[in-house]
Amino acid sequence: MGTMADRRPYIAANWKMHKTIAEAERFLDAFLPAVEPLVESVDVVLCPPFLALQTTVEACRGKRIGVAAQNAHEQAEGAFTGEVSLAMLAETGVSGVILGHSERRQLFAETDEALARKLPAALAAGLEPILCVGESESEREAGETEAVLKRQLDADLAGLGDDQLGEIVIAYEPIWAIGTGRTATTDQAAETIAVIRAQIAERDAAAAAATRILYGGSVKPANAAELLAQPDIDGALVGGASLDPEDFLAIVAAAATV
């Protein structure tokens, strides 16, 4: 398995509920030519809303840029109005899927039990899951960060074999830093990501060394280089700053120079 040296930096753009197909096309027209020299050393993944996935996949074909969905249902098919299955996503040509984003957990009642089913189902569909975990402000202030992360990881990864742990990407997102403009300090982010890696190492040390763990939570061009320079931080899941092609490009460039 991998060592720190071969965990390629991984920068993902979570557009959330932003960008029509036309807006996605405008972003891609500006971003793709400019990012080309950087994808030699950085894995770049775009996560548009469902309707813009196909357009984005087609634009990125042959360009070493991944495309991931923002959510999926764990069942292969069925009476789940408004949901999208992993097989439907795989057919569009996406390479991955975000699972367990704090907004899905908080606003749409996504449970750890559902995530325990979604992760193995995503791998079975050939998609790389980006699993999001993170604590709230009150949990951090109560000193519960480590316990909350352990509870989430134990539950969410329960359906995976130890040999599958290295196939997922984990994004640590302190809920108190998402869209608030507050960012965890570099030390807080690095320390918490080291905790996550240690928790995976309890199951499998080789997988822990190979698993890429990203930081998410108000990552911007101004703070990206410092965060990404930390040896335990393997990349970023970028929200607001990923909507602007120049801002997102600056973050990818910061990852390429680390």
Side-chain angles (χ1 to χ4, degrees), residues 51-131:
L51 288 173
L53 285 174
Q54 194 85 61
T55 300
T56 307
V57 165
E58 281 162 20
C60 294
R61 199 162 273 138
K63 289 194 166 41
R64 276 199 75 161
I65 292 181
V67 182
Q70 298 175 15
N71 183 39
H73 196 278
E74 71 267 21
Q75 294 292 334
E77 55 184 16
F80 304 105
T81 300
E83 289 290 324
V84 175
S85 77
L86 289 152
M88 293 171 189
L89 291 174
E91 186 188 50
T92 68
V94 301
S95 51
V97 57
I98 298 175
L99 295 174
H101 192 281
S102 61
E103 288 156 7
R104 300 293 323 164
R105 293 175 187 261
Q106 289 182 300
L107 303 176
F108 303 104
E110 178 150 48
T111 63
D112 288 312
E113 293 70 34
L115 288 164
R117 296 189 294 269
K118 286 186 183 192
L119 282 155
L123 289 176
L127 299 181
E128 177 176 66
I130 304 170
L131 172 67

Side-chain angles (χ1 to χ4, degrees), residues 1-56:
M1 293 295 267
T3 60
M4 194 185 94
D6 54 23
R7 293 200 306 263
R8 269 170 69 88
Y10 189 111
I11 306 290
N14 179 14
W15 290 351
K16 306 187 180 182
M17 199 176 74
H18 294 282
K19 297 201 190 295
T20 62
I21 291 171
E23 288 166 343
E25 285 170 343
R26 281 202 290 281
F27 177 98
L28 293 161
D29 286 346
F31 179 72
L32 293 179
V35 81
E36 201 140 320
L38 302 174
V39 295
E40 289 309 307
S41 55
V42 182
D43 285 349
V44 177
V45 179
L46 302 176
C47 311
F50 286 129
L51 288 173
L53 285 174
Q54 194 85 61
T55 300
T56 307

Side-chain angles (χ1 to χ4, degrees), residues 6 11 69 95 112 146 152 177 183 201 204 211-212 222 224 230 242 248 258:
D6 54 23
I11 306 290
S95 51
D112 288 312
E146 205 162 326
Q152 288 179 338
T183 314
D204 190 290
T211 302
R212 288 178 293 183
Q230 301 301 307
S242 77
F248 189 57
V258 166

